[in-house]
Amino acid sequence: MIKNNINKPFLKWAGSKRKIMATLKEYIEPVTGSFIEPFVGSGTVFLNVSADKYVLADWNYDLINMFRILQHRGKDFIDYARDTFFIDGTNEEEKFYVYRKQFNSTKDLEEKAALFIYLNRHSYNGLCRYNLSGGFNVPFGRYKTVYFPEKELFYFAEQAAKCQFLFQDFKNTMALAVKGDTIYCDPPYAPISVTSNFTGYCAGGFHLNDQKDLAILAELSEARVIVSNNYTEYTCELYKNATELIELDVQKSIGSKGGSRKKTKEILAIFN
Ligand SMILES: C[S@@+](CC[C@H](N)C(=O)[O-])C[C@H]1O[C@@H](n2cnc3c(N)ncnc32)[C@H](O)[C@@H]1O
């Protein structure tokens, strides 16, 4: 699972740090105490940062449930997911909607976890979106072939022995840090343009107040905190009290496979 010296995650995840991981690693390491990620997503960052202990959290229950099942059931879970949901006939529209409905209704946590991986690989653009009632609602992805990320799952399961997975809001996770720990925060992006009367939609229900709270907690923390975000006038102002502000060039692909690419800038704010 190492590609260009980067350990690949087994999930497709919006905002994954794969493209800038090599650079990011240089700013994050060395880690002395625990490595804490309040917004773990696919886990790309912890998979590439060396530490003795990892505290990994996210405000997505299905994601954390699946990580915990993988951590505890390892090979048995990987075999079950592959042999049940990644076999002939499962990459079909009709079957996809049956499985999506099953995912939304099952109370069996292991089945739900395996279906989460199935949906991640078969949904449109690998998106993870829910309707207001909490039901997963991304349509069928129409992929010609689907990859079962077996090697990546095994690598993750091996690393998970040193991890604690928590389903909670970032504020509670940041409160766990002590002096000597390193926290890496990758929140949903702040809007590109923020005017004084901004009331628009914020990605993933993460609002400007959350962005502000995160900046304050980063500043007050006893731990070393590194925060990623879009590089904009707003975020430069938000993190103006950081010890260091770094501008990173990122090549992003827009839309589906083969879609256009554009260069954007990200900020890294480091609070020592
Ligand atoms: C940009 S993604 C993180 C991507 C991750 N660094 C990676 O490489 O895959 C942001 C994550 O924040 C999570 N999230 C959104 N609001 C949150 C909150 N209030 N507290 C904790 N996590 C939250 C989302 O579920 C999502 O997984």
Side-chain angles (χ1 to χ4, degrees):
M1 71 272 90
I2 293 197
K3 197 178 168 198
N4 306 329
N5 285 331
I6 292 302
N7 293 311
K8 280 168 62 190
F10 65 87
L11 290 175
K12 302 179 180 184
W13 207 255
S16 152
K17 284 290 170 269
R18 260 179 72 182
K19 298 251 166 66
I20 56 165
M21 196 54 238
T23 312
L24 209 49
K25 189 173 160 70
E26 288 173 23
Y27 288 102
I28 296 175
E29 288 181 336
V31 171
T32 46
S34 296
F35 181 60
I36 302 174
E37 276 200 76
F39 307 88
V40 67
S42 68
T44 305
V45 181
F46 101 87
L47 288 171
N48 289 286
V49 166
S50 161
D52 292 336
K53 191 183 162 218
Y54 301 87
V55 178
L56 307 172
D58 202 284
W59 192 231
N60 179 321
Y61 175 75
D62 297 327
L63 177 75
I64 296 299
N65 168 59
M66 186 267 296
F67 285 161
R68 285 177 177 158
I69 301 269
L70 177 59
Q71 178 185 42
H72 293 118
R73 305 263 300 125
K75 181 177 183 316
D76 287 349
F77 171 66
I78 297 170
D79 290 347
Y80 159 66
R82 184 194 53 235
D83 299 345
T84 314
F85 300 112
F86 288 79
I87 50 178
D88 276 357
T90 54
N91 185 24
E92 282 173 17
E93 187 155 7
E94 206 175 311
K95 199 74 189 171
F96 172 85
Y97 288 106
V98 169
Y99 283 154
R100 192 177 82 171
K101 200 167 168 197
Q102 194 172 327
F103 173 80
N104 285 329
S105 59
T106 184
K107 300 278 177 272
D108 178 328
L109 294 181
E110 185 158 352
E111 179 180 66
K112 197 160 176 98
L115 281 164
F116 190 76
I117 299 173
Y118 169 85
L119 291 173
N120 183 259
R121 287 280 155 185
H122 293 80
S123 294
Y124 181 75
N125 273 350
L127 291 172
C128 182
R129 293 269 157 84
Y130 300 87
N131 59 27
L132 288 178
S133 340
F136 185 94
N137 68 355
V138 182
F140 183 52
R142 301 182 186 282
Y143 293 103
K144 278 205 183 85
T145 55
V146 170
Y147 172 65
F148 179 68
E150 180 153 343
K151 289 193 297 279
E152 294 82 354
L153 278 159
F154 272 108
Y155 184 71
F156 192 105
E158 205 181 296
Q159 298 307 305
K162 288 186 265 175
C163 300
Q164 185 183 11
F165 294 104
L166 302 170
F167 163 56
Q168 58 185 27
D169 183 67
F170 71 96
K171 291 176 196 143
N172 295 327
T173 310
M174 291 190 75
L176 299 174
V178 295
K179 205 172 170 57
D181 289 344
T182 300
I183 307 181
Y184 172 67
C185 294
D186 186 19
Y189 287 126
I192 296 284
S193 146
V194 179
T195 54
S196 53
N197 60 353
F198 178 86
T199 53
Y201 169 80
C202 286
F206 201 82
H207 296 284
L208 290 190
N209 279 345
D210 296 310
Q211 299 284 1
K212 286 178 195 154
D213 288 347
L214 172 57
I216 293 168
L217 291 175
E219 204 177 321
L220 295 178
S221 179
E222 299 232 294
R224 177 164 182 264
V225 185
I226 299 156
V227 188
S228 283
N229 215 320
N230 284 321
Y231 185 94
T232 63
E233 233 174 87
Y234 174 75
T235 54
C236 287
E237 174 63 23
L238 195 61
Y239 307 130
K240 64 172 188 256
N241 295 330
T243 320
E244 213 181 330
L245 282 185
I246 294 138
E247 196 180 324
L248 299 178
D249 282 325
V250 187
Q251 187 87 36
K252 278 191 188 159
S253 352
I254 312 298
S256 57
K257 207 174 170 195
S260 59
R261 288 172 188 282
K262 71 168 185 181
K263 263 202 167 163
T264 56
K265 284 188 188 304
E266 287 205 9
I267 197 167
L268 260 195
I270 303 182
F271 300 81
N272 277 326

